[in-house]
Amino acid sequence: MQLYDIARVIRSKNAGPFTLTMDLFFTDITALKKVLNSPAFTSQTISKLYQVRPEEVRIIPFEAILAVKVSLPRFVGSGAPTDRDVYGAQQHFPLGNIEI
Amino acid sequence: MKPSEIHYLSLCGMLGYGYPLDNFKHGINPHVCFIGADNGSTDPGPYYLGSGTGFVKSMQIRRDLEPALLTARKQNIPLIIGSAGGAGAKPHVDSFIKILHDISHQHKLHYRLAIIYSDIDKKQVLDALQQNRLSPCGPAPTLTEKRIHQSSHIVGQMGTEPFIEALEAGAQVIIAGRSCDTAIFSALPVWKGFDPGLALHAAKIAECGALCAVPAGANDSLSVILSENHFIVEPTNPARRCTPESVAAHSMYEQPDPNCFYEPEGKIDMQHSQFTSFGERAVKVSGTRLIPPARDTIKLEAAVLKGYRTISIAGLRDPSAISHLEEIEAGVRDKVAQNTKGIIDPNAYSLHFLRYGLDGVTGPREPLPAPLPREVGLVIESIASTQELADTVLSLARSTALHQPFEGRKTTAGNLAFPFSPSDVSCGPVYEFSIYHLLETQKNQPLFKLCIEEI
């Protein structure tokens, strides 16, 4: 099953002009754990998808509200030439494609 | 004497984006001791800071400001607005003040106005660079003297201090340049002696209006009551409610770490924050604490001019043209280069193709769809050192793309469907963020200029 289908909410947004942050919310702890424990959901795999270095990807679970945050550097500064998404609001793909 | 609790109202998530007047009025009662609103963001990109223009139009600001100002004066409570005019540099603040003056004059209002400018002198930034007092905020690019000189407006995100100074001066309306969103809502509580950790956390939620509610509403008011050991948030619109999950989830909004965020006052640690329901529609938050910073810093922002943009929008329906878009693009680049050889410096312009339906949004980070879509939207973009050059390059690229041959072409009368005439749009200057750095501040070196005016 793809991450997009498992998540209740999956959203992306700038956290400042040079960082992209993606929030995933789940309906129950089982779904969250399944994602967190998946070998497809690691800094390594996400770094490949977003073409950044693995050490630049931060995965921070927030279990109290069944959420996990993924933060990584933007491809280019917000609104600079060659940027495709000034607010970073549609960059939760390719993350959503991850097969869990 | 410090009151036992402090009640305030966040007008909406962004002054100028509109809010329902009824819900704002519903939130006003004699206990409310100030109204706050945020008017800015870096979200709309570097253009607004760089060019000194607003991303919200004057009419929108006037529409949202007027009821808030009239209510605040009627109740005799402060109205506090941060990041005025959008990016918060002097041209933004001054255009905001003009609207404020107009409204005040029209309604014959009299009050003490504080204007706080956030423009930072380049000399101070250059000195800080030399003295190693600048560090990138996250993955911001390296800063050089040249970049500082090229930046058009440098602003600092002020914390609570300048706001408190304005309150101490008896300001009844505070219009501030670039501000930390939290400073707008936490300055008065901190000034009154409330716990800064809780005050800043409450402010972080309040700055987005009722975005923390269910259903979420950025353009709606939020009521906040801050006490000694907790704060309570409640949307004023009876059709919305806060839940512990919605408020906790909002606490991590637009921040890289869900457990904490950083402000000039220090690190706001939410690891031990408790979110509990309070009645039907409110949520009570406790346990947040402030960890003072090791060094005092202010975040600086600036943008530099990168050139001028011209675009053309077209659609493709022909399956073969869609599947040969890369070949078409390469051909266009080639012909533009050949045609302008000896006339235009190839380093003076760049050409970009954005292919909506194929990879316009995520680019090379996702494979192309299979099968290919029936239609594709194409944006051809040129950026060049002058607007005239950008227009010229785009004009040439657009006409070339229309007739560019490719392998197996059947659509020999034209590859593109242009929806408009004229087909090309001159977009004006293009900026990029040049500074997004923390400045280590020095004692006795005030960065923000406070002006008091009797209206």
Short mmCIF file of all heavy atoms in Angstrom, two decimals, chain B residues 202-249:
data_model
loop_
_atom_site.label_atom_id
_atom_site.label_comp_id
_atom_site.label_asym_id
_atom_site.label_seq_id
_atom_site.Cartn_x
_atom_site.Cartn_y
_atom_site.Cartn_z
N ALA B 202 1.39 29.88 23.02
CA ALA B 202 0.05 30.37 22.71
C ALA B 202 0.09 31.26 21.47
O ALA B 202 -0.76 31.17 20.58
CB ALA B 202 -0.52 31.15 23.90
N ALA B 203 1.13 32.09 21.41
CA ALA B 203 1.27 33.03 20.29
C ALA B 203 1.52 32.28 18.98
O ALA B 203 1.01 32.67 17.93
CB ALA B 203 2.42 33.99 20.56
N LYS B 204 2.28 31.21 19.08
CA LYS B 204 2.57 30.40 17.88
C LYS B 204 1.27 29.83 17.29
O LYS B 204 1.10 29.73 16.08
CB LYS B 204 3.56 29.29 18.27
CG LYS B 204 3.59 28.07 17.37
CD LYS B 204 4.44 28.30 16.14
CE LYS B 204 4.43 27.05 15.27
NZ LYS B 204 4.34 27.37 13.85
N ILE B 205 0.34 29.48 18.17
CA ILE B 205 -0.94 28.97 17.70
C ILE B 205 -1.83 30.13 17.22
O ILE B 205 -2.47 30.06 16.18
CB ILE B 205 -1.63 28.16 18.82
CG1 ILE B 205 -0.78 26.93 19.13
CG2 ILE B 205 -3.04 27.75 18.42
CD1 ILE B 205 -1.14 26.24 20.40
N ALA B 206 -1.80 31.21 17.98
CA ALA B 206 -2.69 32.34 17.69
C ALA B 206 -2.37 33.02 16.36
O ALA B 206 -3.26 33.53 15.70
CB ALA B 206 -2.59 33.38 18.81
N GLU B 207 -1.10 32.99 15.96
CA GLU B 207 -0.73 33.76 14.78
C GLU B 207 -1.40 33.28 13.49
O GLU B 207 -1.45 33.99 12.50
CB GLU B 207 0.80 33.82 14.60
CG GLU B 207 1.47 32.50 14.29
CD GLU B 207 1.78 32.30 12.82
OE1 GLU B 207 1.36 33.15 12.03
OE2 GLU B 207 2.39 31.28 12.48
N CYS B 208 -1.94 32.07 13.50
CA CYS B 208 -2.62 31.56 12.31
C CYS B 208 -4.14 31.66 12.44
O CYS B 208 -4.86 31.00 11.70
CB CYS B 208 -2.20 30.13 12.02
SG CYS B 208 -0.56 30.01 11.30
N GLY B 209 -4.64 32.45 13.39
CA GLY B 209 -6.08 32.55 13.57
C GLY B 209 -6.64 31.19 13.96
O GLY B 209 -6.07 30.50 14.80
N ALA B 210 -7.75 30.82 13.32
CA ALA B 210 -8.41 29.56 13.69
C ALA B 210 -7.93 28.37 12.84
O ALA B 210 -8.63 27.38 12.70
CB ALA B 210 -9.92 29.73 13.58
N LEU B 211 -6.71 28.47 12.34
CA LEU B 211 -6.16 27.36 11.55
C LEU B 211 -5.96 26.10 12.41
O LEU B 211 -5.92 24.99 11.91
CB LEU B 211 -4.84 27.78 10.89
CG LEU B 211 -4.31 26.89 9.76
CD1 LEU B 211 -5.30 26.75 8.63
CD2 LEU B 211 -3.00 27.45 9.20
N CYS B 212 -5.86 26.31 13.74
CA CYS B 212 -5.65 25.18 14.65
C CYS B 212 -6.97 24.47 14.98
O CYS B 212 -6.98 23.52 15.76
CB CYS B 212 -5.02 25.67 15.94
SG CYS B 212 -6.11 26.78 16.85
N ALA B 213 -8.09 24.94 14.40
CA ALA B 213 -9.40 24.36 14.75
C ALA B 213 -9.82 23.31 13.74
O ALA B 213 -9.15 23.07 12.74
CB ALA B 213 -10.43 25.47 14.83
N VAL B 214 -10.96 22.68 14.05
CA VAL B 214 -11.59 21.74 13.12
C VAL B 214 -13.01 22.26 12.86
O VAL B 214 -13.74 22.43 13.83
CB VAL B 214 -11.69 20.32 13.72
CG1 VAL B 214 -12.17 19.34 12.66
CG2 VAL B 214 -10.37 19.89 14.33
N PRO B 215 -13.46 22.51 11.64
CA PRO B 215 -12.60 22.57 10.46
C PRO B 215 -11.64 23.76 10.56
O PRO B 215 -11.96 24.77 11.17
CB PRO B 215 -13.62 22.77 9.31
CG PRO B 215 -14.83 23.35 9.94
CD PRO B 215 -14.87 22.84 11.35
N ALA B 216 -10.46 23.58 9.95
CA ALA B 216 -9.42 24.60 10.04
C ALA B 216 -9.87 25.87 9.32
O ALA B 216 -10.53 25.80 8.29
CB ALA B 216 -8.13 24.09 9.41
N GLY B 217 -9.56 27.03 9.91
CA GLY B 217 -9.95 28.28 9.27
C GLY B 217 -8.90 29.34 9.48
O GLY B 217 -8.90 30.05 10.49
N ALA B 218 -7.98 29.46 8.51
CA ALA B 218 -6.92 30.47 8.64
C ALA B 218 -7.52 31.86 8.69
O ALA B 218 -6.99 32.74 9.35
CB ALA B 218 -5.95 30.36 7.47
N ASN B 219 -8.64 32.05 7.99
CA ASN B 219 -9.21 33.39 7.91
C ASN B 219 -10.38 33.53 8.88
O ASN B 219 -11.50 33.83 8.48
CB ASN B 219 -9.66 33.67 6.47
CG ASN B 219 -8.51 33.45 5.49
OD1 ASN B 219 -7.35 33.62 5.85
ND2 ASN B 219 -8.84 33.04 4.30
N ASP B 220 -10.11 33.30 10.14
CA ASP B 220 -11.14 33.39 11.15
C ASP B 220 -10.46 33.67 12.50
O ASP B 220 -9.27 33.41 12.66
CB ASP B 220 -11.92 32.06 11.21
CG ASP B 220 -13.40 32.27 11.53
OD1 ASP B 220 -13.75 33.35 12.02
OD2 ASP B 220 -14.19 31.33 11.29
N SER B 221 -11.25 34.19 13.45
CA SER B 221 -10.64 34.66 14.70
C SER B 221 -10.47 33.54 15.73
O SER B 221 -11.20 32.55 15.72
CB SER B 221 -11.50 35.77 15.30
OG SER B 221 -11.68 36.81 14.38
N LEU B 222 -9.50 33.76 16.62
CA LEU B 222 -9.23 32.81 17.69
C LEU B 222 -9.10 33.57 19.01
O LEU B 222 -8.43 34.60 19.08
CB LEU B 222 -7.93 32.05 17.41
CG LEU B 222 -7.59 30.94 18.41
CD1 LEU B 222 -8.41 29.67 18.09
CD2 LEU B 222 -6.11 30.59 18.40
N SER B 223 -9.75 33.03 20.03
CA SER B 223 -9.67 33.65 21.35
C SER B 223 -8.64 32.89 22.19
O SER B 223 -8.58 31.65 22.16
CB SER B 223 -11.07 33.57 21.98
OG SER B 223 -10.97 33.47 23.37
N VAL B 224 -7.81 33.63 22.93
CA VAL B 224 -6.78 33.00 23.77
C VAL B 224 -6.88 33.56 25.19
O VAL B 224 -7.01 34.78 25.37
CB VAL B 224 -5.36 33.29 23.22
CG1 VAL B 224 -4.29 32.63 24.09
CG2 VAL B 224 -5.21 32.83 21.78
N ILE B 225 -6.87 32.66 26.16
CA ILE B 225 -6.81 33.09 27.56
C ILE B 225 -5.57 32.46 28.19
O ILE B 225 -5.43 31.23 28.22
CB ILE B 225 -8.07 32.66 28.35
CG1 ILE B 225 -9.34 33.25 27.70
CG2 ILE B 225 -7.97 33.12 29.81
CD1 ILE B 225 -10.64 32.73 28.30
N LEU B 226 -4.66 33.32 28.61
CA LEU B 226 -3.41 32.85 29.19
C LEU B 226 -3.45 33.04 30.70
O LEU B 226 -3.79 34.13 31.17
CB LEU B 226 -2.27 33.66 28.56
CG LEU B 226 -0.84 33.38 28.97
CD1 LEU B 226 -0.41 31.98 28.58
CD2 LEU B 226 0.09 34.40 28.30
N SER B 227 -3.14 31.96 31.44
CA SER B 227 -3.10 32.05 32.90
C SER B 227 -1.69 31.72 33.38
O SER B 227 -0.77 31.56 32.59
CB SER B 227 -4.08 31.07 33.53
OG SER B 227 -5.34 31.19 32.94
N GLU B 228 -1.57 31.57 34.69
CA GLU B 228 -0.28 31.29 35.31
C GLU B 228 0.38 30.02 34.75
O GLU B 228 1.55 30.02 34.39
CB GLU B 228 -0.48 31.15 36.82
CG GLU B 228 0.77 31.13 37.63
CD GLU B 228 1.46 32.49 37.70
OE1 GLU B 228 0.77 33.52 37.82
OE2 GLU B 228 2.68 32.50 37.62
N ASN B 229 -0.42 28.92 34.68
CA ASN B 229 0.16 27.62 34.34
C ASN B 229 -0.35 26.99 33.05
O ASN B 229 -0.02 25.85 32.74
CB ASN B 229 -0.09 26.63 35.48
CG ASN B 229 0.56 27.09 36.76
OD1 ASN B 229 1.73 27.47 36.75
ND2 ASN B 229 -0.19 27.09 37.85
N HIS B 230 -1.21 27.67 32.35
CA HIS B 230 -1.75 27.09 31.11
C HIS B 230 -2.32 28.20 30.22
O HIS B 230 -2.42 29.35 30.65
CB HIS B 230 -2.83 26.06 31.42
CG HIS B 230 -4.06 26.64 32.05
ND1 HIS B 230 -4.28 26.62 33.41
CD2 HIS B 230 -5.11 27.30 31.51
CE1 HIS B 230 -5.42 27.22 33.69
NE2 HIS B 230 -5.95 27.66 32.56
N PHE B 231 -2.70 27.81 29.01
CA PHE B 231 -3.49 28.73 28.19
C PHE B 231 -4.61 27.95 27.51
O PHE B 231 -4.53 26.72 27.36
CB PHE B 231 -2.63 29.50 27.18
CG PHE B 231 -1.97 28.67 26.11
CD1 PHE B 231 -2.62 28.37 24.92
CD2 PHE B 231 -0.67 28.21 26.28
CE1 PHE B 231 -2.00 27.63 23.92
CE2 PHE B 231 -0.03 27.45 25.30
CZ PHE B 231 -0.70 27.16 24.12
N ILE B 232 -5.65 28.69 27.15
CA ILE B 232 -6.83 28.08 26.54
C ILE B 232 -7.09 28.77 25.20
O ILE B 232 -7.11 30.00 25.12
CB ILE B 232 -8.06 28.22 27.46
CG1 ILE B 232 -7.86 27.37 28.72
CG2 ILE B 232 -9.35 27.80 26.75
CD1 ILE B 232 -8.81 27.70 29.85
N VAL B 233 -7.25 27.96 24.15
CA VAL B 233 -7.57 28.53 22.84
C VAL B 233 -8.95 28.06 22.41
O VAL B 233 -9.33 26.90 22.64
CB VAL B 233 -6.53 28.14 21.76
CG1 VAL B 233 -5.22 28.87 22.00
CG2 VAL B 233 -6.29 26.63 21.70
N GLU B 234 -9.69 28.97 21.80
CA GLU B 234 -11.05 28.65 21.36
C GLU B 234 -11.40 29.50 20.14
O GLU B 234 -11.25 30.72 20.17
CB GLU B 234 -12.05 28.93 22.50
CG GLU B 234 -13.47 28.59 22.14
CD GLU B 234 -14.46 28.76 23.32
OE1 GLU B 234 -14.01 28.90 24.48
OE2 GLU B 234 -15.66 28.74 23.04
N PRO B 235 -11.88 28.85 19.06
CA PRO B 235 -12.30 29.64 17.91
C PRO B 235 -13.56 30.43 18.25
O PRO B 235 -14.43 29.92 18.96
CB PRO B 235 -12.57 28.59 16.82
CG PRO B 235 -12.70 27.29 17.51
CD PRO B 235 -12.05 27.40 18.85
N THR B 236 -13.65 31.66 17.75
CA THR B 236 -14.84 32.46 18.05
C THR B 236 -16.01 32.06 17.16
O THR B 236 -17.15 32.36 17.47
CB THR B 236 -14.56 33.96 17.86
OG1 THR B 236 -14.28 34.18 16.47
CG2 THR B 236 -13.38 34.42 18.68
N ASN B 237 -15.72 31.40 16.06
CA ASN B 237 -16.77 30.91 15.17
C ASN B 237 -17.36 29.64 15.78
O ASN B 237 -16.66 28.63 15.92
CB ASN B 237 -16.14 30.62 13.80
CG ASN B 237 -17.14 30.08 12.78
OD1 ASN B 237 -18.26 29.71 13.14
ND2 ASN B 237 -16.72 30.02 11.55
N PRO B 238 -18.67 29.66 16.14
CA PRO B 238 -19.27 28.50 16.81
C PRO B 238 -19.28 27.23 15.94
O PRO B 238 -19.45 26.13 16.46
CB PRO B 238 -20.70 28.96 17.13
CG PRO B 238 -20.92 30.20 16.34
CD PRO B 238 -19.60 30.78 16.00
N ALA B 239 -19.07 27.40 14.62
CA ALA B 239 -19.05 26.22 13.74
C ALA B 239 -17.71 25.49 13.78
O ALA B 239 -17.55 24.43 13.20
CB ALA B 239 -19.38 26.65 12.32
N ARG B 240 -16.73 26.07 14.46
CA ARG B 240 -15.42 25.41 14.58
C ARG B 240 -15.17 25.04 16.02
O ARG B 240 -15.72 25.64 16.94
CB ARG B 240 -14.29 26.35 14.16
CG ARG B 240 -14.42 26.91 12.78
CD ARG B 240 -13.17 27.74 12.43
NE ARG B 240 -13.42 28.62 11.32
CZ ARG B 240 -13.41 28.25 10.04
NH1 ARG B 240 -13.15 26.99 9.73
NH2 ARG B 240 -13.66 29.12 9.08
N ARG B 241 -14.28 24.03 16.21
CA ARG B 241 -13.87 23.72 17.57
C ARG B 241 -12.40 23.31 17.56
O ARG B 241 -11.89 22.84 16.53
CB ARG B 241 -14.74 22.62 18.17
CG ARG B 241 -14.61 21.30 17.49
CD ARG B 241 -15.74 20.35 17.88
NE ARG B 241 -15.58 19.09 17.15
CZ ARG B 241 -14.94 18.03 17.62
NH1 ARG B 241 -14.45 18.04 18.84
NH2 ARG B 241 -14.80 16.97 16.88
N CYS B 242 -11.75 23.48 18.70
CA CYS B 242 -10.37 22.99 18.83
C CYS B 242 -10.42 21.63 19.48
O CYS B 242 -11.25 21.38 20.37
CB CYS B 242 -9.56 23.94 19.71
SG CYS B 242 -9.06 25.44 18.85
N THR B 243 -9.56 20.73 19.04
CA THR B 243 -9.40 19.45 19.71
C THR B 243 -7.94 19.34 20.14
O THR B 243 -7.08 20.01 19.56
CB THR B 243 -9.74 18.27 18.77
OG1 THR B 243 -8.72 18.20 17.76
CG2 THR B 243 -11.09 18.44 18.09
N PRO B 244 -7.65 18.51 21.14
CA PRO B 244 -6.24 18.37 21.55
C PRO B 244 -5.35 18.01 20.37
O PRO B 244 -4.24 18.55 20.23
CB PRO B 244 -6.29 17.24 22.59
CG PRO B 244 -7.68 17.32 23.15
CD PRO B 244 -8.56 17.74 22.00
N GLU B 245 -5.86 17.15 19.48
CA GLU B 245 -5.06 16.74 18.31
C GLU B 245 -4.84 17.92 17.36
O GLU B 245 -3.76 18.12 16.84
CB GLU B 245 -5.74 15.59 17.55
CG GLU B 245 -5.82 14.28 18.31
CD GLU B 245 -6.89 14.30 19.40
OE1 GLU B 245 -7.87 15.07 19.28
OE2 GLU B 245 -6.74 13.54 20.38
N SER B 246 -5.92 18.69 17.13
CA SER B 246 -5.80 19.77 16.15
C SER B 246 -4.83 20.85 16.65
O SER B 246 -4.07 21.40 15.86
CB SER B 246 -7.18 20.37 15.82
OG SER B 246 -7.67 21.18 16.86
N VAL B 247 -4.85 21.11 17.94
CA VAL B 247 -3.95 22.14 18.48
C VAL B 247 -2.51 21.62 18.54
O VAL B 247 -1.57 22.33 18.17
CB VAL B 247 -4.43 22.62 19.87
CG1 VAL B 247 -3.45 23.62 20.47
CG2 VAL B 247 -5.81 23.27 19.75
N ALA B 248 -2.35 20.36 18.94
CA ALA B 248 -1.00 19.78 18.97
C ALA B 248 -0.42 19.72 17.56
O ALA B 248 0.75 20.04 17.33
CB ALA B 248 -1.04 18.39 19.58
N ALA B 249 -1.27 19.34 16.60
CA ALA B 249 -0.81 19.24 15.22
C ALA B 249 -0.42 20.60 14.70
O ALA B 249 0.57 20.75 13.99
CB ALA B 249 -1.90 18.64 14.34
#
